[in-house]
Amino acid sequence: MAAWFVLGRDASPPCNGLAEEAGVQKSMGAAVHPGMSCAALGEAIVKSTAGSDPGRHTPAQAQAVRDVLFALGSGQSKKLDLDPALRLPLATALADHAPDVHEMLAGLDSEYVMKQGRDTPPWEAGGTYHLAANTLLRKILPAVAEDPEAYAVLRTAETRTAAERLAAVPAAATGADLSLPPTKNARAFGTLDGVADTARSKDASKSQEWYATLFEHLIDEQPDRADPAGHLTATWLQELKNTPETARAERLHTQGLDMARTWAQARAMDEQTRQGLLAEVESSALYAYREMKP
């Protein structure tokens, strides 16, 4: 009887209780119901949150992401034990909302800070609906990233978004208009570096296996070099591919700086401006990493 009591007390609800959570049921409708498999729930999360066009989401799709994040992250525990079957689907759903994830990772946009409360609905801007759940996302991401393929999905989406932000900076930009995009990128990558250090196993052999799987998926990307953002992404991926396997994990920590350097060179930035900018980018990445690293 005592053994049954302990097991019953420690048992967690299947699929992290998402299928029984009222908010998730409301936002996803009949697609989610108690007793469904975690694999089916993962498929429902992806379908309910994905936009029909890249970068375009309805209020319902943004709200569905928020409801899942709040259902998973609102508990008292500092560490989330996420059902393995939900890791890749959740990463896929977040990657479909990559611009919002970018802002939440960087943590520099006050609108995302002010609108992350549970009772604040998604808001419309730029022809799509946005969501914020900054604090919860940082709690959830390490649990998602225990699957290296899921982390690769997140990292690839952030790489693409970061490149798009750099490519969109006007040629005549100066001051904050010039420095903010690469600084945000560096903070987002620094946060993801901290996520990786939290998620991967502390066992050396398992950690190596985690990184091997990650790099297999990252390097497999084939961006369009004819597109400015695609060229930045492809250049970074080639640099990563050319890095010895034993040094690739450390090379990830310089991604924000490396992409900013390539971008600055393409803009023929004067040396003083370039050096000052790259120093700011490097500092921002390190600060964000230290904030996130356990």
Side-chain angles (χ1 to χ4, degrees), residues 83-152:
D83 189 290
L86 297 178
R87 291 170 184 159
L88 186 56
L90 189 52
T92 302
L94 289 170
D96 200 69
H97 294 256
D100 291 324
V101 174
H102 172 78
E103 296 297 342
M104 289 186 275
L105 290 173
L108 295 179
D109 190 321
S110 60
E111 187 167 31
Y112 281 80
V113 175
M114 293 186 295
K115 293 184 175 180
Q116 65 175 319
R118 184 158 201 163
D119 296 329
T120 305
W123 70 97
E124 193 276 333
T128 187
Y129 280 82
H130 301 274
L131 68 126
N134 303 24
T135 303
L136 296 180
L137 184 71
R138 289 167 177 255
K139 176 181 178 180
I140 293 167
L141 284 184
V144 174
E146 288 186 35
D147 180 344
E149 183 179 355
Y151 182 78

Side-chain angles (χ1 to χ4, degrees), residues 152-173:
V153 168
L154 295 169
R155 189 94 190 192
T156 297
E158 176 54 36
T159 299
R160 188 180 303 116
T161 302
E164 289 169 353
R165 293 292 189 269
L166 293 178
V169 177

Side-chain angles (χ1 to χ4, degrees), residues 192-273:
L192 285 179
D193 291 337
V195 167
D197 276 9
T198 304
R200 64 180 174 82
S201 173
K202 299 304 181 283
D203 178 272
S205 61
K206 292 181 179 179
S207 178
Q208 289 174 0
E209 183 180 346
W210 187 92
Y211 275 117
T213 302
L214 166 63
F215 293 128
E216 177 184 348
H217 287 283
L218 284 183
I219 295 173
D220 193 47
E221 288 291 310
Q222 298 292 331
D224 181 7
R225 282 186 172 273
D227 174 72
H231 178 73
L232 279 170
T233 301
T235 300
W236 153 248
L237 289 174
Q238 189 60 51
E239 291 173 352
L240 183 64
K241 188 174 183 178
N242 292 342
T243 301
E245 291 185 16
T246 55
R248 284 177 181 169
E250 284 301 316
R251 188 63 186 263
L252 278 185
H253 289 248
T254 68
Q255 183 172 2
L257 180 63
D258 290 341
M259 291 182 71
R261 184 182 292 110
T262 299
W263 170 72
Q265 290 172 347
R267 291 174 66 93
M269 195 176 291
D270 69 83
E271 186 64 16
Q272 182 176 356
T273 301

